[in-house]
Amino acid sequence: MNKKGFIFDLDGVIVDTAKYHFLAWQRLAKGLDINFTEEENEQLKGVSRVRSLEKILAWGNKTISQELFDELMGKKNEEYLSFIAEMDTNEILPDVPRVLKFLKEMDQPISLGSASKNARTILERVNLKSSFNAIVDGNDVSKAKPDPEVFLIAAKEIDVKPEDCIVFEDSVAGVTAANTANMISIGIGSKDVLGHANYVFKDFTEISNDLIKSLIEN
Ligand code: BG6
Ligand code: MG
Protein backbone atom coordinates (compact mmCIF):
# COMPACT_ATOMS: atom_id res chain seq x y z
CA MET A 1 0.00 0.00 0.00
CA ASN A 2 1.25 3.44 -0.98
CA LYS A 3 1.82 5.96 1.80
CA LYS A 4 0.71 9.54 1.41
CA GLY A 5 0.71 12.24 4.05
CA PHE A 6 -2.70 13.71 4.83
CA ILE A 7 -2.51 17.18 6.36
CA PHE A 8 -5.59 18.81 7.82
CA ASP A 9 -6.10 22.45 8.61
CA LEU A 10 -8.23 22.81 11.75
CA ASP A 11 -10.42 25.92 11.79
CA GLY A 12 -13.12 25.60 9.12
CA VAL A 13 -11.98 22.12 8.05
CA ILE A 14 -12.32 19.87 11.10
CA VAL A 15 -14.44 22.15 13.25
CA ASP A 16 -16.56 25.17 12.50
CA THR A 17 -14.53 27.59 14.58
CA ALA A 18 -14.27 30.03 11.68
CA LYS A 19 -17.60 31.47 12.87
CA TYR A 20 -16.18 32.07 16.36
CA HIS A 21 -13.08 33.82 15.00
CA PHE A 22 -15.37 35.98 12.87
CA LEU A 23 -17.66 36.84 15.80
CA ALA A 24 -14.76 37.72 18.09
CA TRP A 25 -13.03 39.89 15.47
CA GLN A 26 -16.26 41.57 14.46
CA ARG A 27 -17.06 42.60 18.02
CA LEU A 28 -13.58 43.91 18.53
CA ALA A 29 -13.66 45.84 15.25
CA LYS A 30 -17.01 47.39 16.16
CA GLY A 31 -15.45 48.70 19.34
CA LEU A 32 -12.89 50.46 17.18
CA ASP A 33 -15.59 51.77 14.84
CA ILE A 34 -14.43 49.54 12.03
CA ASN A 35 -16.83 47.46 9.96
CA PHE A 36 -15.70 44.60 7.80
CA THR A 37 -17.59 42.53 5.30
CA GLU A 38 -18.01 38.77 4.93
CA GLU A 39 -15.73 39.04 1.89
CA GLU A 40 -12.99 40.74 3.90
CA ASN A 41 -13.43 38.05 6.53
CA GLU A 42 -12.38 35.44 3.94
CA GLN A 43 -8.98 37.17 3.96
CA LEU A 44 -8.69 36.58 7.71
CA LYS A 45 -9.19 32.81 7.43
CA GLY A 46 -5.96 30.90 7.92
CA VAL A 47 -4.17 34.12 8.83
CA SER A 48 -2.35 34.46 12.17
CA ARG A 49 -3.83 36.43 15.05
CA VAL A 50 -1.29 39.26 14.73
CA ARG A 51 -1.70 39.56 10.97
CA SER A 52 -5.51 39.50 11.32
CA LEU A 53 -5.52 42.49 13.64
CA GLU A 54 -3.09 44.33 11.38
CA LYS A 55 -5.42 43.77 8.43
CA ILE A 56 -8.52 44.92 10.34
CA LEU A 57 -6.76 48.09 11.47
CA ALA A 58 -5.64 48.77 7.89
CA TRP A 59 -9.24 48.36 6.62
CA GLY A 60 -10.35 50.92 9.17
CA ASN A 61 -7.38 53.22 8.49
CA LYS A 62 -6.46 53.08 12.18
CA THR A 63 -3.06 53.28 13.80
CA ILE A 64 -2.81 52.30 17.45
CA SER A 65 -0.06 51.99 20.04
CA GLN A 66 1.76 48.69 20.55
CA GLU A 67 0.28 48.60 24.04
CA LEU A 68 -3.30 48.79 22.76
CA PHE A 69 -2.47 46.32 19.99
CA ASP A 70 -1.34 43.76 22.56
CA GLU A 71 -4.35 44.45 24.73
CA LEU A 72 -6.74 43.90 21.80
CA MET A 73 -4.99 40.65 20.85
CA GLY A 74 -5.51 39.41 24.38
CA LYS A 75 -9.14 40.51 24.38
CA LYS A 76 -9.88 38.78 21.09
CA ASN A 77 -8.40 35.53 22.31
CA GLU A 78 -10.25 35.71 25.62
CA GLU A 79 -13.54 36.09 23.80
CA TYR A 80 -12.62 33.35 21.33
CA LEU A 81 -11.67 31.00 24.17
CA SER A 82 -15.03 31.59 25.82
CA PHE A 83 -16.67 30.16 22.68
CA ILE A 84 -14.19 27.27 22.58
CA ALA A 85 -14.96 26.37 26.17
CA GLU A 86 -18.50 25.43 25.12
CA MET A 87 -17.40 23.18 22.25
CA ASP A 88 -17.97 19.45 22.14
CA THR A 89 -17.92 16.63 19.58
CA ASN A 90 -21.12 17.96 17.99
CA GLU A 91 -19.05 20.71 16.40
CA ILE A 92 -16.95 18.34 14.34
CA LEU A 93 -17.85 19.03 10.71
CA PRO A 94 -19.84 16.39 8.77
CA ASP A 95 -17.97 13.22 7.76
CA VAL A 96 -14.64 14.33 9.23
CA PRO A 97 -14.64 11.32 11.63
CA ARG A 98 -15.41 8.95 8.73
CA VAL A 99 -12.48 10.28 6.70
CA LEU A 100 -10.08 10.16 9.66
CA LYS A 101 -11.17 6.60 10.45
CA PHE A 102 -10.76 5.49 6.84
CA LEU A 103 -7.27 6.99 6.60
CA LYS A 104 -6.30 5.15 9.76
CA GLU A 105 -7.66 1.87 8.37
CA MET A 106 -5.61 2.52 5.22
CA ASP A 107 -2.56 3.07 7.43
CA GLN A 108 -1.96 6.61 6.16
CA PRO A 109 -0.11 9.12 8.35
CA ILE A 110 -2.15 12.14 9.40
CA SER A 111 -0.87 15.58 10.46
CA LEU A 112 -2.51 18.74 11.65
CA GLY A 113 -1.25 21.95 10.03
CA SER A 114 -2.97 24.89 11.69
CA ALA A 115 -2.16 28.56 12.17
CA SER A 116 -3.94 28.55 15.52
CA LYS A 117 -2.19 28.69 18.85
CA ASN A 118 -5.33 27.16 20.34
CA ALA A 119 -5.27 24.04 18.15
CA ARG A 120 -4.39 21.54 20.86
CA THR A 121 -7.08 22.90 23.19
CA ILE A 122 -9.69 22.59 20.45
CA LEU A 123 -8.67 19.05 19.47
CA GLU A 124 -8.95 18.06 23.11
CA ARG A 125 -12.41 19.60 23.40
CA VAL A 126 -13.70 17.64 20.43
CA ASN A 127 -11.83 14.50 21.39
CA LEU A 128 -9.78 14.19 18.21
CA LYS A 129 -6.24 14.65 19.46
CA SER A 130 -5.41 10.96 19.22
CA SER A 131 -6.46 10.86 15.55
CA PHE A 132 -3.29 12.71 14.57
CA ASN A 133 0.21 11.31 14.19
CA ALA A 134 1.60 14.84 14.41
CA ILE A 135 0.25 18.23 15.41
CA VAL A 136 1.85 21.39 14.04
CA ASP A 137 0.23 24.68 14.98
CA GLY A 138 0.78 28.40 15.42
CA ASN A 139 3.18 27.76 18.30
CA ASP A 140 5.54 25.80 16.07
CA VAL A 141 6.07 28.20 13.17
CA SER A 142 7.77 31.52 12.61
CA LYS A 143 6.07 32.29 9.30
CA ALA A 144 2.30 32.26 8.94
CA LYS A 145 0.24 31.00 5.96
CA PRO A 146 0.42 31.75 3.00
CA ASP A 147 4.03 30.78 3.81
CA PRO A 148 4.28 26.97 3.43
CA GLU A 149 6.29 26.50 6.66
CA VAL A 150 3.48 24.93 8.71
CA PHE A 151 2.75 22.28 6.05
CA LEU A 152 6.43 21.54 5.41
CA ILE A 153 6.96 20.86 9.12
CA ALA A 154 3.73 18.83 9.24
CA ALA A 155 5.05 16.66 6.37
CA LYS A 156 8.47 16.27 7.97
CA GLU A 157 6.95 15.16 11.29
CA ILE A 158 5.22 12.23 9.58
CA ASP A 159 8.22 11.57 7.36
CA VAL A 160 6.47 12.07 4.03
CA LYS A 161 7.87 14.11 1.13
CA PRO A 162 5.93 17.32 0.37
CA GLU A 163 4.96 16.11 -3.11
CA ASP A 164 3.32 13.06 -1.51
CA CYS A 165 1.16 15.17 0.78
CA ILE A 166 -2.48 16.12 0.43
CA VAL A 167 -3.73 19.18 2.28
CA PHE A 168 -7.33 19.93 3.28
CA GLU A 169 -7.83 23.69 3.61
CA ASP A 170 -10.72 26.16 3.80
CA SER A 171 -8.73 29.38 3.44
CA VAL A 172 -7.28 31.29 0.52
CA ALA A 173 -3.97 31.71 2.38
CA GLY A 174 -3.85 28.00 3.29
CA VAL A 175 -4.46 26.77 -0.26
CA THR A 176 -1.69 29.09 -1.46
CA ALA A 177 0.59 27.69 1.27
CA ALA A 178 -0.15 24.09 0.20
CA ASN A 179 0.45 24.90 -3.48
CA THR A 180 3.72 26.65 -2.65
CA ALA A 181 4.78 23.60 -0.62
CA ASN A 182 4.25 21.53 -3.79
CA MET A 183 1.46 19.53 -2.16
CA ILE A 184 -1.96 18.59 -3.53
CA SER A 185 -4.45 21.13 -2.24
CA ILE A 186 -8.04 20.22 -1.54
CA GLY A 187 -10.22 23.23 -0.86
CA ILE A 188 -13.11 22.78 1.54
CA GLY A 189 -15.70 25.44 0.74
CA SER A 190 -16.67 27.36 -2.35
CA LYS A 191 -15.05 27.18 -5.80
CA ASP A 192 -15.54 30.94 -6.11
CA VAL A 193 -13.19 31.52 -3.18
CA LEU A 194 -10.82 28.55 -3.48
CA GLY A 195 -10.42 28.38 -7.26
CA HIS A 196 -6.64 28.06 -6.93
CA ALA A 197 -6.93 24.65 -5.19
CA ASN A 198 -6.33 21.41 -7.11
CA TYR A 199 -9.80 20.21 -6.07
CA VAL A 200 -12.65 21.91 -4.23
CA PHE A 201 -15.45 20.24 -2.30
CA LYS A 202 -18.26 21.78 -0.30
CA ASP A 203 -17.40 19.57 2.68
CA PHE A 204 -16.21 16.05 3.50
CA THR A 205 -19.60 14.50 2.61
CA GLU A 206 -18.50 15.01 -1.00
CA ILE A 207 -15.19 13.17 -0.42
CA SER A 208 -15.89 9.45 -0.71
CA ASN A 209 -13.64 6.67 0.55
CA ASP A 210 -13.10 5.70 -3.10
CA LEU A 211 -11.80 9.18 -3.83
CA ILE A 212 -9.42 8.95 -0.89
CA LYS A 213 -8.27 5.55 -2.14
CA SER A 214 -7.49 7.05 -5.53
CA LEU A 215 -5.51 9.88 -3.86
CA ILE A 216 -3.49 7.25 -2.01
CA GLU A 217 -2.85 5.20 -5.11
CA ASN A 218 -1.95 8.00 -7.53
C1 BG6 B 1 -6.50 30.00 11.79
C2 BG6 B 1 -7.81 30.73 11.62
O1 BG6 B 1 -6.70 28.63 11.76
O2 BG6 B 1 -5.88 30.37 13.03
C3 BG6 B 1 -7.60 32.23 11.75
O3 BG6 B 1 -8.35 30.43 10.35
C4 BG6 B 1 -6.90 32.54 13.07
O4 BG6 B 1 -8.85 32.88 11.68
C5 BG6 B 1 -5.61 31.76 13.18
O5 BG6 B 1 -6.63 33.93 13.18
C6 BG6 B 1 -4.90 31.98 14.52
O6 BG6 B 1 -5.69 31.41 15.52
P1 BG6 B 1 -5.52 31.65 17.09
O7 BG6 B 1 -6.42 30.60 17.69
O8 BG6 B 1 -4.08 31.40 17.40
O9 BG6 B 1 -5.94 33.04 17.36
MG1 MG C 1 -8.95 27.14 8.26
Side-chain angles (χ1 to χ4, degrees):
M1 173 65 73
N2 258 354
K3 264 211 206 300
K4 292 285 165 79
F6 286 83
I7 305 178
F8 289 74
D9 172 48
L10 175 69
D11 294 316
V13 168
I14 292 176
V15 281
D16 191 12
T17 40
K19 64 183 180 206
Y20 299 141
H21 281 294
F22 183 46
L23 274 176
W25 281 129
Q26 219 181 19
R27 274 187 206 171
L28 191 120
K30 258 206 183 122
L32 292 166
D33 230 9
I34 302 173
N35 280 308
F36 65 93
T37 61
E38 194 90 3
E39 214 171 52
E40 283 167 325
N41 183 58
E42 285 300 328
Q43 297 176 41
L44 298 183
K45 288 187 180 171
V47 169
S48 71
R49 205 181 306 162
V50 179
R51 190 74 197 104
S52 301
L53 183 51
E54 285 170 356
K55 275 176 178 269
I56 291 169
L57 292 170
W59 293 333
N61 264 320
K62 287 244 159 42
T63 339
I64 59 171
S65 68
Q66 185 61 46
E67 205 180 353
L68 183 57
F69 190 98
D70 295 344
E71 191 187 313
L72 292 176
M73 292 261 291
K75 244 187 173 169
K76 188 269 175 176
N77 201 45
E78 247 172 56
E79 172 130 32
Y80 179 64
L81 284 175
S82 73
F83 294 129
I84 299 310
E86 305 294 318
M87 282 180 81
D88 59 28
T89 51
N90 290 317
E91 300 218 26
I92 300 173
L93 287 165
D95 273 19
V96 169
R98 191 241 325 142
V99 171
L100 288 171
K101 185 166 164 265
F102 185 67
L103 289 172
K104 192 162 193 186
E105 278 165 20
M106 302 295 282
D107 210 17
Q108 300 297 304
I110 308 172
S111 258
L112 189 88
S114 168
S116 173
K117 295 190 171 173
N118 299 301
R120 287 176 171 83
T121 311
I122 294 167
L123 285 180
E124 268 162 21
R125 286 233 55 93
V126 299
N127 222 355
L128 282 180
K129 210 170 169 195
S130 61
S131 302
F132 292 86
N133 302 102
I135 295 173
V136 182
D137 69 14
N139 299 295
D140 306 310
V141 296
S142 55
K143 287 171 259 164
K145 299 172 189 175
D147 191 281
E149 186 185 17
V150 66
F151 293 142
L152 292 173
I153 300 176
K156 205 170 184 184
E157 295 242 327
I158 49 173
D159 210 14
V160 179
K161 286 187 287 196
E163 59 267 35
D164 289 330
C165 287
I166 293 121
V167 174
F168 297 104
E169 251 296 347
D170 71 312
S171 74
V172 174
V175 166
T176 303
N179 292 344
T180 308
N182 204 14
M183 299 175 176
I184 295 198
S185 54
I186 302 192
I188 301 292
S190 137
K191 281 200 172 90
D192 296 340
V193 178
L194 304 173
H196 56 320
N198 293 120
Y199 307 89
V200 183
F201 299 100
K202 178 172 70 62
D203 58 30
F204 282 95
T205 62
E206 292 185 346
I207 304 180
S208 66
N209 288 351
D210 280 346
L211 181 82
I212 292 172
K213 247 190 185 160
S214 72
L215 286 168
I216 296 170
E217 280 155 11
N218 292 308

